[in-house]
Amino acid sequence: MDLINKFLNLVAPPFTLFSLCLFLPPFLCYKFLLSVFNSIFSEDVSGKVVIITGASSGIGEHLAYEYARRGACLALCARREKSLEEVADTAREIGSPDVITIRADVSKVDDCRSLVEETMNHFGRLDHLVNNAGISSVALFEDIVNITDFKQIMASKAALVLFFETLRVELGSDVGVTIVTPGFIESELTQGKFLTGEGRIQIDENLRDAQVSTIPVQSAWSCAKAIVNSVCRGDTYLVVPSWFRTTYWMKVLCPELLEFWYRVFYMGRPEEPSYEAPSKKVLDYTGAQNVLYPSSDQSADIKTE
């Protein structure tokens, strides 16, 4: 076995490179033509039933509005019932023929089961499931009091991507799976809502500034429109904004350089607090947040539920 692996170590890289050079050009042409075809003959969601989690604000809220404009029936889910009802009212005004709201915490299995059951009982069908709810943390590892508090972070990030990639292989063409990788999008996360090292939700605009720094924050409505367009085309992946793909190539081609940049720019000196990192200082000195951040992010007024 070791001999076979040594042989593959020598043969696999040049063979793969040759295969890519041969296969990639026609494959990219095929992908382009397929994208054009799917854009022209994209799915009509009018009358179809869509579940959207995390629909009380941010991307989820604007996804509800975008689906409503296209005439979809909506089952909106979030923990904040009052905010959810406000979103539902707006969705009805925009054009959704039927909207129900379901108060649920998607980190609880029973709530997830009830969400689907209530939707099926009301509409009798389910066409799109939008798993939008998420949470973020900027705590350093040494500041974490109880590591189990961060289990919900793990499930809402990379673990979900790998799960749905595997599910897509299992389901084949029977069920479409579109995986969206958003950059910094106008939401409660870019307003500074984070999970602290103590496992509490807090609003900290200084930490937000240190994390986002001088990266432009895209509006939630344009992100939602791009997502629904991508889903209706049947895309497998979507990165919003699209220029964020460059970070993936940097990670693949020069991971050491990228990690060095993160450490220097976002962490700074050990004796300084996180919000005094160079990323925050650059933002403060230039005043770039007045241009790069939406007005909603500059005057955050959100709940810490």
Side-chain angles (χ1 to χ4, degrees):
M1 286 297 178
D2 288 345
L3 186 61
I4 295 175
N5 280 319
K6 287 180 180 179
F7 173 75
L8 291 175
N9 287 340
L10 294 173
V11 174
F15 176 78
T16 302
L17 182 61
F18 174 78
S19 300
L20 284 175
C21 291
L22 190 66
F23 173 72
L24 204 55
F27 176 72
L28 291 177
C29 288
Y30 166 75
K31 289 278 288 182
F32 173 75
L33 293 175
L34 184 63
S35 176
V36 172
F37 179 83
N38 288 337
S39 296
I40 297 173
F41 301 100
S42 61
E43 179 184 1
D44 181 7
V45 296
S46 178
K48 293 191 175 180
V49 178
V50 183
I51 290 179
I52 303 175
T53 67
S56 61
S57 65
I59 299 174
E61 175 185 354
H62 287 273
L63 282 169
Y65 300 154
E66 186 61 32
Y67 271 109
R69 289 187 187 96
R70 301 176 187 223
C73 301
L74 304 176
L76 305 181
C77 163
R79 292 178 298 171
R80 299 195 298 258
E81 199 165 7
K82 182 179 178 182
S83 300
L84 200 59
E85 289 294 344
E86 292 173 354
V87 173
D89 290 340
T90 304
R92 293 185 187 99
E93 293 173 4
I94 290 174
S96 178
D98 193 1
V99 184
I100 63 171
T101 59
I102 303 168
R103 187 182 186 280
D105 183 347
V106 294
S107 66
K108 299 176 181 177
V109 175
D110 289 340
D111 282 15
C112 293
R113 185 180 295 109
S114 297
L115 168 62
V116 175
E117 288 176 352
E118 287 189 44
T119 302
M120 292 298 295
N121 289 337
H122 182 84
F123 294 106
R125 61 185 289 185
L126 175 58
D127 299 287
H128 288 198
L129 170 60
V130 184
N131 293 299
N132 166 75
I135 192 171
S136 183
S137 173
V138 291
L140 297 176
F141 181 74
E142 62 183 13
D143 296 330
I144 297 175
V145 176
N146 185 353
I147 193 64
T148 60
D149 291 334
F150 287 76
K151 183 179 179 180
Q152 56 186 322
I153 297 287
M154 305 294 184
S156 72
K157 306 299 178 186
L160 274 183
V161 172
L162 294 176
F163 170 76
F164 281 109
E165 285 178 337
T166 305
L167 189 63
R168 185 161 53 205
V169 174
E170 289 185 26
L171 298 176
S173 59
D174 292 338
V175 178
V177 177
T178 301
I179 297 174
V180 180
T181 305
F184 290 116
I185 308 297
E186 177 188 12
S187 66
E188 292 183 346
L189 300 183
T190 57
Q191 291 174 345
K193 186 175 182 179
F194 300 116
L195 188 67
T196 68
E198 294 81 23
R200 296 181 291 102
I201 296 292
Q202 75 170 23
I203 309 299
D204 193 324
E205 293 185 9
N206 287 321
L207 282 177
R208 182 276 312 275
D209 290 347
Q211 183 188 43
V212 179
S213 189
T214 54
I215 298 176
V217 177
Q218 183 163 332
S219 65
W221 71 265
S222 64
C223 176
K225 185 175 182 179
I227 291 173
V228 179
N229 284 338
S230 182
V231 169
C232 292
R233 287 195 304 265
D235 295 345
T236 52
Y237 294 97
L238 173 68
V239 179
V240 186
S242 58
W243 70 265
F244 254 68
R245 292 193 190 99
T246 59
T247 60
Y248 169 77
W249 292 113
M250 290 174 65
K251 185 177 181 180
V252 170
L253 298 174
C254 48
E256 297 86 359
L257 181 60
L258 190 63
E259 290 172 9
F260 174 77
W261 170 253
Y262 283 156
R263 183 166 185 84
V264 170
F265 191 65
Y266 287 100
M267 295 188 67
R269 291 178 293 185
E271 66 272 13
E272 291 183 335
S274 300
Y275 55 80
E276 288 298 329
S279 57
K280 174 72 163 63
K281 293 177 180 178
V282 169
L283 188 71
D284 290 341
Y285 292 153
T286 60
Q289 64 266 39
N290 296 323
V291 177
L292 301 177
Y293 293 4
S295 58
S296 61
D297 284 1
Q298 297 179 38
S299 57
D301 182 21
I302 58 178
K303 300 177 182 179
T304 57
E305 292 180 61

